[in-house]
């Protein structure tokens, strides 16, 4: 599979040599990843996406449309993974523990959930495995998969078990869909990229605060969650031509009004359940301490809103439930 040569930046050799021919691109991409703090395990796929978008103009015998589903794209990911292992050493990719944090009430106590970004499924032991980007609970997972403590749930009533299973499924699905959308959001200025990268940082901080089981510390999470929703709104607004974000400040009502004018409609009842930004801000100084269960309720609403907002983001590629069959995938 060869690309047509039409300039210095066009890959013009066989696909098996694509990495050697595009090393200058990969150097530039990796420098940017380093500045953004992108984890090693996420770099090969991200670099492959950027390379196809900016470094390859044409693939003879194929098309760049929906490139992530093309067999040749998998080969590029494999080649770039090898390039990265040579660059940083295989050990940097051998222990993929890339989890997204979540929190849920179990018997009235907040408990942390660990949600894998990527699910790996071995096809042939020691030879090939699927790398999958699920947007919900994968068939290989169960409710207990996400509890590091592996609690026994038999003592829960049938109704409580059913409620827990449904809540875990909702949290996992929203968490994965939010992050898949943020990961591939396009048409972003440097400001938009910083806002996008900050969304989940705030959620993780809130989860850590809540899981510490100290109500004063957990209350600070209300502000973190406010900032996460706020930044999700602002990423959407930047994509849709509203660069004057400072005028909107932290006011969720104003942000929602601006977003509605650009076609985004979130659940108004969910929006009303978020504390006013001034109240959430005061929680940083333990002036408005909240009960743990109340902060978890805010987390649930914030997750719902972020899922609704990010679903409407313009995206470079849709990776939901995409799978790549890789050879000897040490890095996953």
């Amino acid at each position: 599979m060869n690309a047509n040569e039409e300039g210095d930046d066009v890959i013009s050799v066989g696909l098996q040599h694509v990495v050697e021919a595009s090393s200058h691109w990969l150097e530039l991409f990796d420098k940017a990843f380093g500045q953004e703090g992108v984890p090693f395990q996420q770099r090969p796929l991200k670099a492959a996406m950027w390379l196809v978008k900016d470094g390859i103009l044409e693939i003879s015998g194929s098309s760049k449309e929906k490139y992530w589903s093309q067999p040749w794209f998998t080969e590029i990911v494999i080649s770039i993974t090898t390039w990265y292992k040579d660059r940083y050493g295989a050990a940097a990719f051998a222990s993929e523990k890339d989890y997204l944090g979540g929190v849920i009430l179990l018997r009235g106590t907040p408990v942390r959930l660990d949600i894998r970004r990527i699910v790996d499924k071995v096809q042939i032991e020691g030879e090939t495995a699927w790398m999958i980007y699920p947007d919900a609970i994968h068939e290989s997972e169960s409710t207990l998969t996400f509890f590091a403590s592996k609690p026994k749930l038999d003592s829960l009533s049938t109704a409580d078990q059913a409620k827990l299973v449904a809540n875990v499924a909702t949290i996992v699905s929203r968490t994965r869909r939010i992050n898949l959308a943020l990961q591939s959001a396009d048409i972003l200025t440097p400001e938009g990229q910083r806002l996008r990268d900050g969304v989940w940082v705030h959620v993780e901080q809130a989860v850590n605060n809540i899981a510490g089981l100290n109500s004063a510390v957990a209350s600070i999470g209300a502000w973190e969650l406010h900032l996460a929703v706020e930044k999700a709104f602002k990423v959407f607004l930047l994509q849709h031509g509203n660069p004057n974000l400072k005028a909107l400040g932290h006011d969720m009502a104003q942000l929602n009004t601006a977003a509605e004018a650009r076609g985004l409609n979130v659940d108004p009842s969910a929006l009303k359940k978020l504390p006013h930004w001034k109240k959430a801000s005061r929680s940083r100084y333990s002036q408005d301490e909240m009960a743990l269960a109340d902060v978890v309720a805010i987390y649930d609403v914030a997750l719902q809103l972020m899922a609704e907002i990010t679903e409407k983001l313009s995206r470079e590629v849709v990776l939901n439930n995409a799978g790549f069959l890789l050879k000897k995938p040490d890095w996953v």
Side-chain angles (χ1 to χ4, degrees), residues 122-139:
V122 175
Q123 184 182 56
I124 301 176
E125 188 67 40
E127 295 185 21
T128 58
W130 286 96
M131 181 180 71
I132 304 164
Y133 289 80
D135 65 2
I137 294 181
H138 186 256
E139 62 183 17

Side-chain angles (χ1 to χ4, degrees), residues 282-301:
R282 288 196 299 270
S283 71
R284 291 180 293 172
Y285 310 105
S286 300
Q287 294 177 357
D288 284 329
E289 189 171 323
M290 305 178 192
L292 289 171
D294 291 340
V295 186
V296 174
I298 294 171
Y299 160 81
D300 289 335
V301 171

